Structure formats: C-alpha cells, structure tokens
Amino acid sequence: KNKKIFINNLALNNKKEVKKLYIAHYKNRTLHFLSSFDKNYIINTIKITYSNVYKKINIIKKKVNCKKFDTIVIKYPPDFIKIDTEGHDYNILLGMKKTIKKHKPVFLIEYNLTIFDKICKYLKFYKPYIYDFKNDKFLNVSVKNKSKISRTSKQNLLTNRNVFFIPNSRKFIKRT
C-alpha cells in the first residue's frame, strides 16, 4: 500500500546476461531460500543446514535474464536496500555503482565469508555493523567479533547473518 515501495521480479547482476539459476527441491517442493547462481554454494549450504537429508535434495537449473540495478527505472531514490542472494551479493553491488554513488543507501547484506572482504573494499565509504540483540546496539564488524556472523558449521546455525553497511556520511547511529 505504500507507494514508495515497489517490487520487481527480476534477477540482478553486474551486467545484462542470461545465467543459470540453481534451485533446491525437496520432495517436489521448491526450497525458495536455496537458490543461487553458484551450484557449489547451494550444495555446501544444503550439507551444513540439512545434513540429515541433503542426499534427498535435488538441484534443478533454470535460465534467467539478469540486469544491472543501475538500469532499472525507479520512482524514488533508494534509502535502504536488502541483499540476500546466496553468494551473488558482490556482483549485484557492482551493478549498482551509479546508485551507490548518487544515493548512498544503507545496505543489509547477508554475511558470506568468501566475499565479505571484497564487499567491504568495494563499499569503502561505508562501515559494516552487526546488530547485537542482547545489548540492543550496533557493533562494528571487526576481526574480534567476526565469529558472531560466520556460519561455518552445524553448531553455529543461529548466528547473526546480516551485516548493515552504513555510509560514513550518515550520523543516525551511535558508533561503538
């Protein structure tokens, strides 16, 4: 109902192209949260998250059209963008170069060990934060607290997986 929120059904990338999207299925049902352009990423996630049934999960592939975020006509400048694309987040950011420079939106991006440092380097005028629910405050992401966001084993499934990237020019949160 909010006219400033819009939804586009499309795949984002750093360039316009057709890509293979790998989609996990279990008992003929799509596991909608387990789709990625990286087949190995999906396989590893399934093994960690569903170790007891991962051999029963099938992966199908589907061709999808991708485009850059910067090519989308938007009515309102983006202020907040959530990216959770199972390992493809960095490529999406590359396709948002003009948007980032012009609008400096806040990002909420799912933590991914393999691309996190690249994202931090690309968003060099941003600071990464995690939200500490227990103490109700934002914490700078550092080497010391990086383990709080890394999901690298079955024993660490409930970690905080989302990282806020806040432009240095924003002054609305207390920096810790």
Side-chain angles (χ1 to χ4, degrees):
K1 293 182 182 183
N2 186 327
K3 293 182 182 187
K4 291 186 178 182
I5 296 174
F6 64 96
I7 298 170
N8 284 311
N9 187 16
L10 53 90
L12 296 175
N13 196 20
N14 58 332
K15 59 187 170 187
K16 183 179 179 180
E17 69 178 332
V18 175
K19 289 184 67 86
K20 293 176 189 169
L21 181 67
Y22 297 95
I23 307 164
H25 284 258
Y26 179 68
K27 294 186 177 181
N28 296 320
R29 294 182 189 244
T30 302
L31 299 174
H32 70 288
F33 53 89
L34 283 176
S35 300
S36 178
F37 293 120
D38 183 344
K39 186 176 182 180
N40 289 328
Y41 181 88
I42 292 298
I43 290 169
N44 291 334
T45 301
I46 290 168
K47 286 180 180 179
I48 291 170
T49 310
Y50 300 104
S51 60
N52 56 333
V53 294
Y54 83 91
K55 291 182 181 180
K56 296 179 183 178
I57 296 175
N58 298 314
I59 298 174
I60 64 162
K61 63 183 172 183
K62 179 180 179 180
K63 290 183 180 179
V64 295
N65 293 314
C66 300
K67 57 172 50 176
K68 291 168 63 170
F69 186 94
D70 284 339
T71 65
I72 300 170
V73 177
I74 54 176
K75 293 180 182 180
Y76 304 98
D79 190 55
F80 177 83
I81 298 173
K82 166 79 166 108
I83 303 176
D84 184 349
T85 58
E86 306 305 320
H88 198 67
D89 313 69
Y90 179 70
N91 288 30
I92 290 171
L93 289 170
L94 292 177
M96 299 180 80
K97 185 175 185 174
K98 292 177 188 174
T99 302
I100 293 167
K101 185 176 182 177
K102 183 175 181 180
H103 301 293
K104 297 172 184 61
V106 171
F107 288 100
L108 183 60
I109 302 175
E110 183 178 37
Y111 178 78
N112 180 313
L113 177 65
T114 59
I115 58 174
F116 182 74
D117 290 336
K118 284 170 57 172
I119 289 173
C120 288
K121 190 173 183 177
Y122 187 73
L123 295 175
K124 61 185 173 189
F125 298 110
Y126 283 69
K127 291 276 189 207
Y129 294 91
I130 57 173
Y131 186 72
D132 180 353
F133 289 97
K134 184 177 178 183
N135 297 306
D136 190 28
K137 65 180 179 179
F138 284 93
L139 302 173
N140 282 323
V141 175
S142 65
V143 173
K144 190 169 86 172
N145 65 11
K146 225 176 182 180
S147 64
K148 291 183 178 183
I149 55 176
S150 178
R151 182 172 80 167
T152 55
S153 71
K154 290 185 279 187
Q155 291 74 36
N156 197 13
L157 291 176
L158 300 176
T159 55
N160 184 338
R161 299 284 319 272
N162 293 301
V163 178
F164 290 88
F165 286 86
I166 300 175
N168 293 338
S169 59
R170 299 266 179 124
K171 304 291 183 207
F172 65 92
I173 68 164
K174 182 180 176 185
R175 308 214 187 256
T176 59

